[in-house]
Amino acid sequence: MLKYAAVGGMMVLGMFLLVSDFLRATAKMEGVIERNDYGKGSRKEELNVAIQGKEDKIPIEIEIAEQQYSSEEVQQLFDRIILRMEKLILGENESLDRIEGDMNLLTKIPEEPVDVSWELDHYDVMNVRGELQPDFLKEEGTLVTLRAVLTYCENEEKQALYQCTAHVFPKKLDKKTKGRKHIEEEIQKQEEESRTSKKLKLPEQLLNKDAVYYRKMDSRGLVLIFMALITGILLYALEFQKRGKEQEKRKRQMLLDYPEIVNKMALFLGAGMTAKRAWRKVVEDYERQKAVWGERYAYEEMKRTCHEMDSKATEAESYENFGRRCDVQVYVRFGALLSQNLRKGTKGLTQLLKLEAIQAFEERKALAKRLGEEAGTKLLLPMFLMLAIVLIIVIIPAFLSVQI
């Protein structure tokens, strides 16, 4: 139903777009085409032109540029941008009076048709991208003059100048960071002075205090332990999932074999065999066909029940144990039925098993139908994904071509 509804929706949408495009193509234009706003770019328009005296319409294609600023509007644009420039170029700094981090010397104004080129008077302190050069920063600060030429993209002759001065300082370090930096500098100095020696002797004192050195602990053992734990958890989850699938597979196979087992027991009992002899006969038939059938869980449990009977266990207890080991409701009922009829006598057992076989075959047909429905359900997701892709391919170009 969903597929047909989707197809119907596509048909309705296609008809709507077709009628809309037809009406738009047959309606006379007012001879006016609206341009795109500033910065939205040009676009192409396809038109049909009817000339008086000619029968056929002439198809043409024209490119319509975006709306451009007038001279007064360009000047207003530059004034508006210059008022925003300081905020745009500060980056993470708070003020031009104290620059400690990289500035954002952008080359194009966002959402405006204006390009920017920069000139600095101290390229050793800052480059044209606004990145500071830490090796040349001074504690007392450095004044850097920045000049920006603003150029209107549609007419490069229209330009404006922006200029500012930034006071650049090294980044402030907290007490702990300063101490660490000082320690690193002292050790590095010791290393440079002893490069002719085979061994590096670390300073015995740092920051005017005795120093003791330790190697930094490697966390690879912890990482390996963590990975081992995760792997163990994943393997356990995989094994648990595997056992669950195996149990489901076992149960499903046993349900499929149940009608045949009950039917065989009914036939052998009807032929005059005892329940025990009929049971062994079913197992013997399975052993002969095992090479063809492969291993079947229900028959293997019946085989185990035969061994129980041979080991002096009572026949009734063996049947009940069989039902408990199978752990499937129909087999529990089957084992209880055989056990009860042994105690009460086998009269009517054949008829009960025939009725059980008929019911089991009906349940098997229902199971086969359910398995077929499950297989169909699993195919729904890929089908819906394919339908969604088709809808996207068809609808998006149609919407993009609609002129509102």
Side-chain angles (χ1 to χ4, degrees):
M1 291 297 293
L2 289 173
K3 292 185 289 184
Y4 296 123
V7 172
M10 290 174 61
M11 290 290 293
V12 172
L13 179 61
M15 292 294 294
F16 171 77
L17 293 174
L18 181 63
V19 172
S20 174
D21 292 340
F22 176 76
L23 293 175
R24 190 163 60 91
T26 54
K28 292 182 179 179
M29 294 178 60
E30 297 178 358
V32 177
I33 298 177
E34 189 172 346
R35 296 181 183 273
N36 287 340
D37 292 334
Y38 307 109
K40 296 295 179 65
S42 61
R43 76 173 190 274
K44 291 184 178 180
E45 283 280 354
E46 295 182 355
L47 302 174
N48 289 324
V49 181
I51 306 297
Q52 187 175 6
K54 294 183 179 289
E55 294 183 1
D56 296 333
K57 295 178 181 178
I58 303 171
I60 62 171
E61 181 179 273
I62 57 174
E63 185 170 355
I64 304 172
E66 65 179 28
Q67 185 177 358
Q68 296 185 5
Y69 290 100
S70 64
S71 298
E72 293 79 8
E73 289 174 329
V74 170
Q75 189 57 49
Q76 292 174 5
L77 172 66
F78 285 146
D79 293 342
R80 185 169 68 248
I81 291 173
I82 288 172
L83 291 175
R84 296 169 53 204
M85 280 298 286
E86 181 174 340
K87 185 177 180 181
L88 290 172
I89 66 176
L90 276 176
E92 296 183 358
N93 300 287
E94 296 182 359
S95 166
L96 291 173
D97 295 331
R98 190 171 188 90
I99 300 295
E100 295 182 348
D102 293 343
M103 299 182 69
N104 180 26
L105 301 187
L106 36 75
T107 57
K108 187 171 182 62
I109 304 300
E111 301 179 0
E112 301 286 4
V114 175
D115 292 331
V116 186
S117 58
W118 291 91
E119 292 181 2
L120 290 74
D121 63 348
H122 281 288
Y123 288 102
D124 57 335
V125 175
M126 181 190 301
N127 62 26
V128 290
R129 293 189 295 274
E131 298 168 346
L132 302 186
Q133 311 300 310
D135 295 339
F136 298 95
L137 300 181
K138 300 176 182 178
E139 291 292 336
E140 63 273 16
T142 305
L143 291 174
V144 180
T145 301
L146 300 94
R147 296 181 185 86
V149 178
L150 309 178
T151 305
Y152 179 49
C153 295
E154 302 299 330
N155 187 349
E156 294 184 356
E157 294 180 358
K158 296 181 180 180
Q159 296 180 332
L161 179 66
Y162 169 77
Q163 182 172 315
C164 65
T165 301
H167 206 174
V168 182
F169 294 86
K171 191 169 184 179
K172 279 186 176 180
L173 302 176
D174 55 29
K175 189 175 180 181
K176 185 176 181 180
T177 306
K178 282 183 178 179
R180 183 176 62 192
K181 187 175 180 182
H182 183 69
I183 290 171
E184 289 176 351
E185 289 174 352
E186 286 194 28
I187 295 176
Q188 191 63 39
K189 182 179 178 182
Q190 183 80 3
E191 190 274 334
E192 291 173 358
E193 292 175 353
S194 63
R195 286 183 178 175
T196 57
S197 176
K198 186 173 179 64
K199 295 182 180 180
L200 168 63
K201 182 173 175 57
L202 299 172
E204 295 181 357
Q205 286 193 333
L206 292 170
L207 303 178
N208 298 322
K209 293 183 179 179
D210 293 340
V212 180
Y213 301 92
Y214 301 92
R215 290 197 180 274
K216 187 176 180 180
M217 181 178 174
D218 198 327
S219 58
R220 58 187 178 180
L222 185 62
V223 172
L224 191 60
I225 292 172
F226 178 75
M227 290 177 64
L229 287 173
I230 295 297
T231 304
I233 292 170
L234 292 175
L235 288 174
Y236 177 78
L238 182 63
E239 186 64 28
F240 183 78
Q241 184 183 32
K242 186 178 178 182
R243 285 201 301 268
K245 288 183 178 179
E246 189 65 30
Q247 288 291 333
E248 183 64 25
K249 177 184 174 184
R250 176 179 180 271
K251 181 178 179 181
R252 188 167 293 178
Q253 188 193 88
M254 294 180 82
L255 287 173
L256 291 173
D257 288 340
Y258 180 67
E260 186 175 1
I261 292 173
V262 175
N263 192 47
K264 284 182 178 181
M265 288 291 293
L267 287 173
F268 291 146
L269 289 172
M273 292 185 183
T274 62
K276 186 174 182 179
R277 178 61 191 145
W279 189 278
R280 289 187 182 277
K281 182 64 176 171
V282 172
V283 174
E284 289 171 3
D285 288 345
Y286 163 68
E287 288 293 333
R288 283 194 298 271
Q289 299 292 328
K290 188 174 181 180
V292 179
W293 291 357
E295 189 173 288
R296 311 295 291 182
Y297 295 106
Y299 288 99
E300 290 295 328
E301 291 297 339
M302 292 182 71
K303 182 178 174 182
R304 183 176 172 182
T305 302
C306 287
H307 295 323
E308 278 190 12
M309 289 188 229
D310 293 339
S311 62
K312 306 305 180 183
T314 64
E315 189 177 346
E317 288 177 355
S318 298
Y319 293 143
E320 291 175 358
N321 292 336
F322 164 77
R324 283 193 291 270
R325 284 197 308 274
C326 290
D327 196 24
V328 180
Q329 184 60 38
V330 291
Y331 283 95
V332 174
R333 187 171 67 239
F334 179 51
L337 184 66
L338 292 176
S339 176
Q340 289 172 6
N341 279 273
L342 280 174
R343 295 189 180 97
K344 299 177 181 178
T346 58
K347 185 178 180 181
L349 178 59
T350 303
Q351 188 63 28
L352 287 174
L353 288 179
K354 286 181 179 179
L355 294 174
E356 182 71 16
I358 294 170
Q359 183 181 351
F361 273 114
E362 291 298 323
E363 291 176 355
R364 180 172 178 175
K365 287 192 288 185
L367 176 61
K369 184 179 179 182
R370 188 167 68 251
L371 292 176
E373 292 172 351
E374 288 177 2
T377 304
K378 290 177 181 178
L379 294 174
L380 283 178
L381 180 60
M383 289 174 61
F384 278 123
L385 289 175
M386 292 174 65
L387 178 62
I389 292 171
V390 171
L391 288 173
I392 290 170
I393 292 172
V394 172
I395 293 174
I396 289 181
F399 272 113
L400 291 177
S401 65
V402 173
Q403 297 293 330
I404 298 177

CSV table of all heavy atoms in Angstrom, one decimal, residues 97-137:
chain,number,residue,atom,x,y,z
A,97,ASP,N,44.4,47.2,21.6
A,97,ASP,CA,45.4,47.7,22.6
A,97,ASP,C,46.2,46.6,23.2
A,97,ASP,O,47.3,46.8,23.7
A,97,ASP,CB,44.6,48.4,23.7
A,97,ASP,CG,43.9,49.7,23.2
A,97,ASP,OD1,44.4,50.2,22.2
A,97,ASP,OD2,42.9,50.0,23.8
A,98,ARG,N,45.7,45.3,23.1
A,98,ARG,CA,46.5,44.2,23.6
A,98,ARG,C,46.2,43.0,22.7
A,98,ARG,O,45.2,42.3,22.9
A,98,ARG,CB,46.3,43.9,25.1
A,98,ARG,CG,47.3,42.9,25.6
A,98,ARG,CD,47.2,42.8,27.1
A,98,ARG,NE,48.3,41.9,27.6
A,98,ARG,CZ,49.5,42.4,28.0
A,98,ARG,NH1,49.8,43.7,27.9
A,98,ARG,NH2,50.5,41.6,28.4
A,99,ILE,N,47.1,42.7,21.8
A,99,ILE,CA,47.0,41.5,21.0
A,99,ILE,C,47.9,40.4,21.4
A,99,ILE,O,49.2,40.6,21.4
A,99,ILE,CB,47.3,41.9,19.5
A,99,ILE,CG1,46.3,43.0,19.0
A,99,ILE,CG2,47.2,40.6,18.6
A,99,ILE,CD1,44.9,42.5,18.9
A,100,GLU,N,47.4,39.3,21.9
A,100,GLU,CA,48.2,38.2,22.4
A,100,GLU,C,48.1,36.9,21.5
A,100,GLU,O,48.8,36.0,21.7
A,100,GLU,CB,47.9,37.9,23.8
A,100,GLU,CG,48.2,39.0,24.8
A,100,GLU,CD,48.0,38.6,26.2
A,100,GLU,OE1,47.3,37.6,26.5
A,100,GLU,OE2,48.4,39.4,27.2
A,101,GLY,N,47.0,36.9,20.7
A,101,GLY,CA,46.8,35.7,19.9
A,101,GLY,C,46.7,36.2,18.4
A,101,GLY,O,46.7,37.3,18.1
A,102,ASP,N,46.6,35.2,17.5
A,102,ASP,CA,46.6,35.5,16.1
A,102,ASP,C,45.3,36.3,15.7
A,102,ASP,O,44.2,36.1,16.3
A,102,ASP,CB,46.5,34.1,15.3
A,102,ASP,CG,47.8,33.4,15.4
A,102,ASP,OD1,48.8,34.0,15.8
A,102,ASP,OD2,47.8,32.2,15.1
A,103,MET,N,45.5,37.2,14.8
A,103,MET,CA,44.4,38.0,14.3
A,103,MET,C,43.8,37.4,13.1
A,103,MET,O,44.4,36.5,12.4
A,103,MET,CB,44.9,39.5,14.0
A,103,MET,CG,45.4,40.2,15.2
A,103,MET,SD,45.9,41.9,14.8
A,103,MET,CE,44.3,42.7,14.5
A,104,ASN,N,42.6,37.8,12.7
A,104,ASN,CA,42.0,37.3,11.5
A,104,ASN,C,42.0,38.3,10.4
A,104,ASN,O,41.0,39.0,10.2
A,104,ASN,CB,40.5,36.9,11.9
A,104,ASN,CG,39.8,36.3,10.7
A,104,ASN,OD1,40.3,35.7,9.8
A,104,ASN,ND2,38.4,36.4,10.7
A,105,LEU,N,43.1,38.4,9.7
A,105,LEU,CA,43.2,39.3,8.6
A,105,LEU,C,42.5,38.7,7.3
A,105,LEU,O,43.2,38.1,6.5
A,105,LEU,CB,44.6,39.7,8.3
A,105,LEU,CG,45.4,40.3,9.5
A,105,LEU,CD1,46.8,40.8,9.1
A,105,LEU,CD2,44.6,41.5,10.1
A,106,LEU,N,41.2,38.8,7.3
A,106,LEU,CA,40.5,38.2,6.2
A,106,LEU,C,40.7,38.9,4.8
A,106,LEU,O,41.0,40.1,4.8
A,106,LEU,CB,39.0,38.1,6.5
A,106,LEU,CG,38.4,39.4,7.3
A,106,LEU,CD1,38.2,40.5,6.4
A,106,LEU,CD2,37.1,39.0,7.9
A,107,THR,N,40.6,38.1,3.8
A,107,THR,CA,40.8,38.6,2.4
A,107,THR,C,39.5,38.9,1.7
A,107,THR,O,39.5,39.4,0.6
A,107,THR,CB,41.6,37.6,1.6
A,107,THR,OG1,40.9,36.4,1.6
A,107,THR,CG2,43.0,37.5,2.2
A,108,LYS,N,38.4,38.6,2.3
A,108,LYS,CA,37.1,38.8,1.7
A,108,LYS,C,36.1,39.1,2.8
A,108,LYS,O,36.0,38.3,3.8
A,108,LYS,CB,36.6,37.7,0.8
A,108,LYS,CG,35.3,38.0,0.0
A,108,LYS,CD,35.1,36.9,-1.0
A,108,LYS,CE,33.8,37.2,-1.8
A,108,LYS,NZ,33.9,38.4,-2.6
A,109,ILE,N,35.2,40.1,2.7
A,109,ILE,CA,34.2,40.4,3.7
A,109,ILE,C,33.1,39.5,3.6
A,109,ILE,O,32.5,39.3,2.5
A,109,ILE,CB,33.7,41.9,3.6
A,109,ILE,CG1,34.9,42.8,3.6
A,109,ILE,CG2,32.7,42.2,4.7
A,109,ILE,CD1,35.7,42.8,4.9
A,110,PRO,N,32.7,38.8,4.6
A,110,PRO,CA,31.6,37.8,4.5
A,110,PRO,C,30.3,38.5,4.1
A,110,PRO,O,29.9,39.5,4.6
A,110,PRO,CB,31.4,37.3,6.0
A,110,PRO,CG,32.8,37.6,6.6
A,110,PRO,CD,33.3,38.8,6.0
A,111,GLU,N,29.6,37.8,3.1
A,111,GLU,CA,28.3,38.2,2.6
A,111,GLU,C,28.4,39.6,1.9
A,111,GLU,O,27.3,40.3,1.8
A,111,GLU,CB,27.3,38.2,3.7
A,111,GLU,CG,27.1,36.8,4.3
A,111,GLU,CD,26.1,36.7,5.4
A,111,GLU,OE1,25.5,37.8,5.6
A,111,GLU,OE2,25.8,35.7,5.9
A,112,GLU,N,29.5,40.1,1.6
A,112,GLU,CA,29.6,41.4,0.9
A,112,GLU,C,30.5,41.3,-0.3
A,112,GLU,O,31.5,40.6,-0.3
A,112,GLU,CB,30.2,42.5,1.9
A,112,GLU,CG,29.4,42.7,3.1
A,112,GLU,CD,28.1,43.5,2.9
A,112,GLU,OE1,27.8,43.8,1.7
A,112,GLU,OE2,27.4,43.8,3.9
A,113,PRO,N,30.3,42.0,-1.4
A,113,PRO,CA,31.1,41.9,-2.6
A,113,PRO,C,32.4,42.8,-2.5
A,113,PRO,O,32.6,43.7,-3.4
A,113,PRO,CB,30.2,42.4,-3.7
A,113,PRO,CG,29.3,43.4,-3.0
A,113,PRO,CD,29.1,42.9,-1.6
A,114,VAL,N,33.2,42.5,-1.5
A,114,VAL,CA,34.3,43.4,-1.3
A,114,VAL,C,35.5,42.4,-0.9
A,114,VAL,O,35.4,41.6,-0.1
A,114,VAL,CB,34.1,44.3,-0.1
A,114,VAL,CG1,35.4,45.1,0.3
A,114,VAL,CG2,33.0,45.3,-0.4
A,115,ASP,N,36.6,42.7,-1.6
A,115,ASP,CA,37.9,42.0,-1.4
A,115,ASP,C,38.8,42.9,-0.5
A,115,ASP,O,38.7,44.1,-0.6
A,115,ASP,CB,38.6,41.6,-2.7
A,115,ASP,CG,37.8,40.5,-3.5
A,115,ASP,OD1,37.1,39.7,-2.8
A,115,ASP,OD2,37.9,40.5,-4.7
A,116,VAL,N,39.7,42.2,0.2
A,116,VAL,CA,40.6,43.0,1.1
A,116,VAL,C,42.1,42.5,0.9
A,116,VAL,O,42.3,41.3,0.8
A,116,VAL,CB,40.3,42.8,2.6
A,116,VAL,CG1,41.1,43.7,3.5
A,116,VAL,CG2,38.8,43.0,2.8
A,117,SER,N,43.0,43.5,0.8
A,117,SER,CA,44.4,43.2,0.7
A,117,SER,C,45.1,44.0,1.8
A,117,SER,O,44.7,45.1,2.1
A,117,SER,CB,45.0,43.6,-0.7
A,117,SER,OG,44.8,44.9,-0.9
A,118,TRP,N,46.1,43.4,2.4
A,118,TRP,CA,46.7,43.9,3.7
A,118,TRP,C,48.2,44.3,3.4
A,118,TRP,O,48.9,43.6,2.7
A,118,TRP,CB,46.7,42.9,4.8
A,118,TRP,CG,45.3,42.7,5.3
A,118,TRP,CD1,44.4,41.7,4.9
A,118,TRP,CD2,44.6,43.4,6.3
A,118,TRP,NE1,43.2,41.8,5.5
A,118,TRP,CE2,43.3,42.8,6.4
A,118,TRP,CE3,44.9,44.5,7.1
A,118,TRP,CZ2,42.4,43.3,7.3
A,118,TRP,CZ3,44.0,45.0,8.0
A,118,TRP,CH2,42.7,44.4,8.1
A,119,GLU,N,48.6,45.3,4.2
A,119,GLU,CA,50.0,45.7,4.3
A,119,GLU,C,50.3,46.0,5.7
A,119,GLU,O,49.5,46.6,6.5
A,119,GLU,CB,50.3,47.0,3.4
A,119,GLU,CG,50.2,46.8,1.9
A,119,GLU,CD,50.5,48.1,1.2
A,119,GLU,OE1,50.9,49.1,1.8
A,119,GLU,OE2,50.4,48.1,-0.1
A,120,LEU,N,51.5,45.5,6.2
A,120,LEU,CA,52.0,45.7,7.6
A,120,LEU,C,53.3,46.4,7.6
A,120,LEU,O,54.1,46.2,6.6
A,120,LEU,CB,52.0,44.4,8.3
A,120,LEU,CG,50.7,43.6,8.6
A,120,LEU,CD1,50.1,43.0,7.4
A,120,LEU,CD2,51.0,42.6,9.7
A,121,ASP,N,53.7,47.0,8.7
A,121,ASP,CA,55.0,47.6,8.8
A,121,ASP,C,56.0,46.8,9.6
A,121,ASP,O,57.1,47.1,9.7
A,121,ASP,CB,54.9,49.0,9.4
A,121,ASP,CG,54.4,49.0,10.8
A,121,ASP,OD1,53.9,48.0,11.2
A,121,ASP,OD2,54.5,50.1,11.5
A,122,HIS,N,55.5,45.6,10.2
A,122,HIS,CA,56.3,44.7,10.9
A,122,HIS,C,56.0,43.3,10.6
A,122,HIS,O,55.3,42.6,11.3
A,122,HIS,CB,56.2,45.0,12.5
A,122,HIS,CG,56.9,46.2,13.0
A,122,HIS,ND1,58.2,46.2,13.1
A,122,HIS,CD2,56.4,47.4,13.4
A,122,HIS,CE1,58.6,47.4,13.6
A,122,HIS,NE2,57.5,48.1,13.8
A,123,TYR,N,56.5,42.8,9.4
A,123,TYR,CA,56.3,41.5,9.0
A,123,TYR,C,57.0,40.5,9.9
A,123,TYR,O,56.7,39.3,9.9
A,123,TYR,CB,56.7,41.3,7.6
A,123,TYR,CG,55.7,42.0,6.6
A,123,TYR,CD1,56.1,43.2,6.0
A,123,TYR,CD2,54.5,41.4,6.3
A,123,TYR,CE1,55.3,43.8,5.1
A,123,TYR,CE2,53.7,42.1,5.4
A,123,TYR,CZ,54.0,43.3,4.8
A,123,TYR,OH,53.2,43.9,3.9
A,124,ASP,N,58.0,40.9,10.7
A,124,ASP,CA,58.7,40.0,11.6
A,124,ASP,C,57.9,39.7,12.8
A,124,ASP,O,58.1,38.7,13.4
A,124,ASP,CB,60.1,40.7,12.0
A,124,ASP,CG,59.9,42.0,12.7
A,124,ASP,OD1,58.8,42.7,12.4
A,124,ASP,OD2,60.7,42.4,13.5
A,125,VAL,N,56.9,40.5,13.1
A,125,VAL,CA,56.1,40.3,14.3
A,125,VAL,C,54.8,39.6,13.9
A,125,VAL,O,54.3,38.7,14.6
A,125,VAL,CB,55.8,41.6,15.0
A,125,VAL,CG1,54.8,41.5,16.2
A,125,VAL,CG2,57.1,42.3,15.5
A,126,MET,N,54.3,40.0,12.7
A,126,MET,CA,53.0,39.4,12.3
A,126,MET,C,53.0,39.2,10.8
A,126,MET,O,53.5,40.1,10.1
A,126,MET,CB,51.8,40.3,12.7
A,126,MET,CG,50.4,39.8,12.3
A,126,MET,SD,49.1,41.0,12.6
A,126,MET,CE,49.3,41.3,14.4
A,127,ASN,N,52.5,38.1,10.2
A,127,ASN,CA,52.4,38.0,8.8
A,127,ASN,C,51.1,38.5,8.2
A,127,ASN,O,50.2,38.9,9.0
A,127,ASN,CB,52.7,36.6,8.3
A,127,ASN,CG,51.7,35.6,8.9
A,127,ASN,OD1,50.5,35.9,9.2
A,127,ASN,ND2,52.1,34.3,9.1
A,128,VAL,N,50.9,38.5,6.9
A,128,VAL,CA,49.7,39.1,6.3
A,128,VAL,C,48.4,38.3,6.6
A,128,VAL,O,47.3,38.7,6.4
A,128,VAL,CB,49.9,39.2,4.8
A,128,VAL,CG1,50.9,40.2,4.4
A,128,VAL,CG2,50.2,37.8,4.2
A,129,ARG,N,48.6,37.0,7.2
A,129,ARG,CA,47.4,36.3,7.6
A,129,ARG,C,47.0,36.6,9.1
A,129,ARG,O,46.0,36.1,9.6
A,129,ARG,CB,47.7,34.8,7.5
A,129,ARG,CG,47.8,34.3,6.0
A,129,ARG,CD,47.9,32.8,5.9
A,129,ARG,NE,49.1,32.3,6.6
A,129,ARG,CZ,50.2,32.2,6.0
A,129,ARG,NH1,50.4,32.6,4.7
A,129,ARG,NH2,51.3,31.7,6.6
A,130,GLY,N,47.8,37.4,9.7
A,130,GLY,CA,47.5,37.8,11.1
A,130,GLY,C,48.1,36.9,12.1
A,130,GLY,O,47.8,37.0,13.3
A,131,GLU,N,49.0,35.9,11.7
A,131,GLU,CA,49.6,35.0,12.6
A,131,GLU,C,50.8,35.6,13.3
A,131,GLU,O,51.7,36.2,12.6
A,131,GLU,CB,50.1,33.7,11.9
A,131,GLU,CG,48.9,33.0,11.2
A,131,GLU,CD,49.3,31.9,10.3
A,131,GLU,OE1,50.5,31.9,9.9
A,131,GLU,OE2,48.5,31.1,9.9
A,132,LEU,N,50.9,35.6,14.6
A,132,LEU,CA,52.0,36.1,15.4
A,132,LEU,C,53.3,35.3,15.2
A,132,LEU,O,53.2,34.0,15.1
A,132,LEU,CB,51.7,36.3,16.8
A,132,LEU,CG,50.4,37.2,17.1
A,132,LEU,CD1,50.3,37.3,18.6
A,132,LEU,CD2,50.5,38.5,16.4
A,133,GLN,N,54.4,35.9,15.3
A,133,GLN,CA,55.7,35.2,15.2
A,133,GLN,C,56.3,35.2,16.6
A,133,GLN,O,56.9,36.3,17.0
A,133,GLN,CB,56.7,35.9,14.2
A,133,GLN,CG,56.0,36.1,12.9
A,133,GLN,CD,55.6,34.9,12.2
A,133,GLN,OE1,56.3,33.9,12.1
A,133,GLN,NE2,54.3,34.8,11.7
A,134,PRO,N,56.2,34.2,17.5
A,134,PRO,CA,56.5,34.3,18.9
A,134,PRO,C,58.0,34.6,19.1
A,134,PRO,O,58.3,35.3,20.1
A,134,PRO,CB,56.2,32.8,19.4
A,134,PRO,CG,55.2,32.3,18.4
A,134,PRO,CD,55.6,32.9,17.1
A,135,ASP,N,58.9,34.2,18.2
A,135,ASP,CA,60.3,34.5,18.5
A,135,ASP,C,60.7,35.9,18.4
A,135,ASP,O,61.8,36.3,18.9
A,135,ASP,CB,61.1,33.7,17.4
A,135,ASP,CG,61.0,32.2,17.5
A,135,ASP,OD1,60.6,31.7,18.6
A,135,ASP,OD2,61.2,31.5,16.5
A,136,PHE,N,59.8,36.8,17.9
A,136,PHE,CA,60.2,38.2,17.7
A,136,PHE,C,59.3,39.1,18.6
A,136,PHE,O,59.3,40.3,18.5
A,136,PHE,CB,60.1,38.6,16.3
A,136,PHE,CG,61.0,37.9,15.4
A,136,PHE,CD1,60.6,36.8,14.7
A,136,PHE,CD2,62.3,38.3,15.2
A,136,PHE,CE1,61.5,36.1,13.9
A,136,PHE,CE2,63.2,37.6,14.4
A,136,PHE,CZ,62.8,36.5,13.7
A,137,LEU,N,58.5,38.5,19.5
A,137,LEU,CA,57.6,39.3,20.3
A,137,LEU,C,58.4,39.8,21.6
A,137,LEU,O,59.2,39.1,22.1
A,137,LEU,CB,56.4,38.5,20.8
A,137,LEU,CG,55.5,38.0,19.7
A,137,LEU,CD1,54.3,37.2,20.3
A,137,LEU,CD2,55.0,39.1,18.8
